[in-house]
Amino acid sequence: MNSAKILLVDDEPDILEILEYNLRREGYEVATADNGEEGLRRAEEMRPDLIILDIMMPIMDGVEVCRQLRARKEFDNTVITFLTAREEDYSQIAALDTGGDDYITKPIRPRVLLSRVKALLRRGERKEQEEVTSIAIGDIVIDLEQIVVLRGEERIELAKKEFDLLKLLASKPGKVFSRDEIFNKVWGTDVIVGNRTIDVHIRKLREKLGDHYIKTIKGIGYKFEF
């Protein structure tokens, strides 16, 4: 199952319905909006990994939505792609000029859409990894380039998987990461590990960092907080 969050913004109910159906079937978390103003509000609430925006919409068009999102630092790493009609060359250029990452032309075939979505989400992961060199939360600094963790002046020694696990949890403070998501992102889908592997690594992190940073969400997974 995919864990990425996707926001669909389009004023055509039929398009919203078919896109939402196909994305949910792939396991994505999906929210929808039928105009640009509502799309902005939902983006602020959801903080999606990917936003699919129609260009021509009532109240506020997709280009203006993109412009406002890109003006806010919290959406720097959000991938934004546009839905456009084939003849909308000018709109496509304007969309990319305001910070859009790509565009998808209508009519949309579900199989093509899913392929593009996967590619865009991979691009977003690379973009985030390239831009972020350290994570500072409270008195903890995670240096992603030197692969070290500092608490004030103290250097905390972590094993590779402990570091990878901490980096994942701290990348989005307050977000609950499911056990499956942690396994996939830290150990990979091709690696077979025991059911207690995550628990053991969490215990070691708590011993080294302190008990209050990582919270257990019973029956779901873990989150980082301070």
Side-chain angles (χ1 to χ4, degrees):
M1 296 292 282
N2 299 297
S3 58
K5 296 185 291 185
I6 300 176
L7 173 62
L8 304 173
V9 189
D10 197 298
D11 63 328
E12 297 183 52
D14 291 348
I15 289 180
L16 278 183
E17 183 178 357
I18 192 169
L19 295 186
E20 182 179 12
Y21 170 78
N22 281 280
L23 290 169
R24 284 191 183 279
R25 192 172 63 174
E26 289 294 304
Y28 295 110
E29 179 182 340
V30 183
T32 64
D34 60 9
N35 65 72
E37 193 172 85
E38 175 69 6
L40 269 179
R41 188 180 69 80
R42 295 305 302 272
E44 292 168 356
E45 294 172 350
M46 185 187 195
R47 298 294 174 84
D49 302 290
L50 169 65
I51 301 175
I52 301 177
L53 275 175
D54 187 29
I55 288 185
M56 303 301 295
M57 291 186 294
I59 305 179
M60 182 186 296
D61 66 29
V63 173
E64 180 58 27
V65 173
C66 182
R67 182 180 291 112
Q68 292 196 29
L69 289 173
R70 288 300 188 224
R72 299 175 55 175
K73 186 172 180 58
E74 58 264 41
F75 292 102
D76 281 354
N77 292 317
T78 303
V79 179
I80 300 176
T81 190
F82 288 88
L83 297 177
T84 74
R86 292 188 182 279
E87 67 273 10
E88 291 178 341
D89 292 337
Y90 174 79
S91 295
Q92 292 166 3
I93 294 170
L96 296 177
D97 284 346
T98 55
D101 294 285
D102 204 350
Y103 62 86
I104 301 171
T105 54
K106 300 177 182 179
I108 309 157
R109 288 179 295 170
R111 186 174 298 177
V112 173
L113 169 75
L114 294 174
S115 177
R116 294 288 290 279
V117 163
K118 289 176 182 177
L120 287 164
L121 289 171
R122 286 196 298 269
R123 184 188 305 179
E125 290 176 358
R126 290 196 300 270
K127 182 179 178 182
E128 188 168 357
Q129 291 167 358
E130 289 168 0
E131 292 185 359
V132 177
T133 59
S134 67
I135 302 172
I137 303 174
D139 60 347
I140 296 290
V141 176
I142 306 167
D143 190 318
L144 304 181
E145 292 186 328
Q146 298 187 44
I147 319 296
V148 297
V149 177
L150 301 173
R151 181 172 52 200
E153 298 297 321
E154 177 191 4
R155 182 186 178 108
I156 301 172
E157 299 295 336
L158 299 180
K160 177 65 167 61
K161 289 303 181 185
E162 293 169 8
F163 183 88
D164 292 343
L165 175 56
L166 176 62
K167 179 176 72 171
L168 173 65
L169 296 175
S171 67
K172 294 183 179 180
K175 169 182 165 59
V176 178
F177 288 88
S178 70
R179 296 177 66 86
D180 285 344
E181 185 175 3
I182 293 171
F183 270 126
N184 291 339
K185 291 188 175 180
V186 176
W187 280 270
T189 56
D190 297 328
V191 178
I192 299 175
V193 295
N195 290 331
R196 299 290 295 172
T197 298
I198 291 179
D199 302 328
V200 170
H201 282 74
I202 290 291
R203 177 174 56 79
K204 290 180 178 178
L205 283 177
R206 285 172 171 160
E207 289 173 354
K208 295 176 180 180
L209 298 175
D211 293 338
H212 60 287
Y213 288 105
I214 301 173
K215 183 176 181 181
T216 301
I217 308 302
K218 190 174 181 180
I220 302 176
Y222 299 93
K223 71 175 181 177
F224 189 96
E225 59 182 21
F226 64 100

